[in-house]
Amino acid sequence: MSRHVVATVDEIAPGSCKLATIKGREIGVFNVAGAFYALANRCPHAGGPMCRGTVGPLVRSTVPGEYRLERDGEFLRCPWHGWEFDIKTGQSWCDPSRIALRTYAAKVEPGMEVVKGPHVAETFKVSVEKHYVVVEV
Ligand code: FES
C-alpha cells in the first residue's frame, strides 16, 4: 500500500469532494464536517460516476406523509439512478449488508510528516564535460 498526497486540507471545503486519479483509479475525497473519507468514483449498481452525485442528509420516515432529515452531509446519492451511500462507511442505504462503495483510508498528516517520506525522488548521475551539462537517464 502506498501513500499519495491528494490535497491540502483547505482545498476540500466541508461538504465538498475532490476527485483524484491514483494508480489509474478515480477516487473522490470528501470532507464531512472536517473529517476526510475516500470513495471509489464507481457506483456498484451500474458504474455511475458516484462522486459527482449529491451530498445530503438521510431521509427517514415512520409513517406516510411525515419525514425527518438526519446526518446532514453524510450521504451521497448517485447521479445516475439515485442509489444512496453512507460516505463514512461506503454502505448502501438500500441493502447495507450486500452493497457498498469501495472505500480507501484517508487521513490528515502534518506537512512535515508528508515531507519526511518514505518518498524518495528518482535521481540521475550528472557530470559537467567542458561546456556541456549531461544528464544520464
Ligand atoms: S449507476 Fe449508480 S444508482 Fe445506478
Side-chain angles (χ1 to χ4, degrees):
M1 192 171 302
S2 54
R3 299 161 60 229
H4 300 268
V5 176
V6 172
T8 59
V9 168
D10 58 356
E11 283 181 79
I12 309 172
S16 70
C17 168
K18 179 176 181 177
L19 264 181
T21 302
I22 301 172
K23 291 186 169 179
R25 300 176 198 157
E26 280 198 349
I27 295 172
V29 181
F30 291 83
N31 179 339
V32 178
F36 292 86
Y37 302 91
L39 302 170
N41 188 30
R42 181 174 169 76
C43 180
H45 176 223
M50 200 62 228
C51 299
R52 300 264 187 231
T54 305
V55 174
L58 174 64
V59 181
R60 300 194 83 165
S61 176
T62 52
V63 295
E66 291 180 20
Y67 67 92
R68 63 183 183 281
L69 306 177
E70 299 176 356
R71 300 175 57 194
D72 192 22
E74 296 183 21
F75 282 80
L76 179 62
R77 178 176 295 132
C78 180
W80 282 8
H81 310 106
W83 284 22
E84 294 176 317
F85 296 85
D86 185 327
I87 294 173
K88 292 183 172 180
T89 64
Q91 286 185 315
S92 72
W93 186 243
C94 65
D95 190 353
S97 63
R98 289 189 331 116
I99 301 169
L101 284 174
R102 174 80 192 264
T103 61
Y104 301 90
K107 63 181 179 178
V108 173
E109 294 185 4
M112 287 308 295
E113 292 297 317
V114 172
V115 170
K116 260 197 294 190
H119 317 293
V120 177
E122 186 177 11
T123 60
F124 304 94
K125 184 177 176 186
V126 176
S127 61
V128 177
E129 298 173 359
K130 296 196 181 193
H131 295 91
Y132 303 96
V133 176
V134 178
V135 176
E136 295 178 14
V137 178

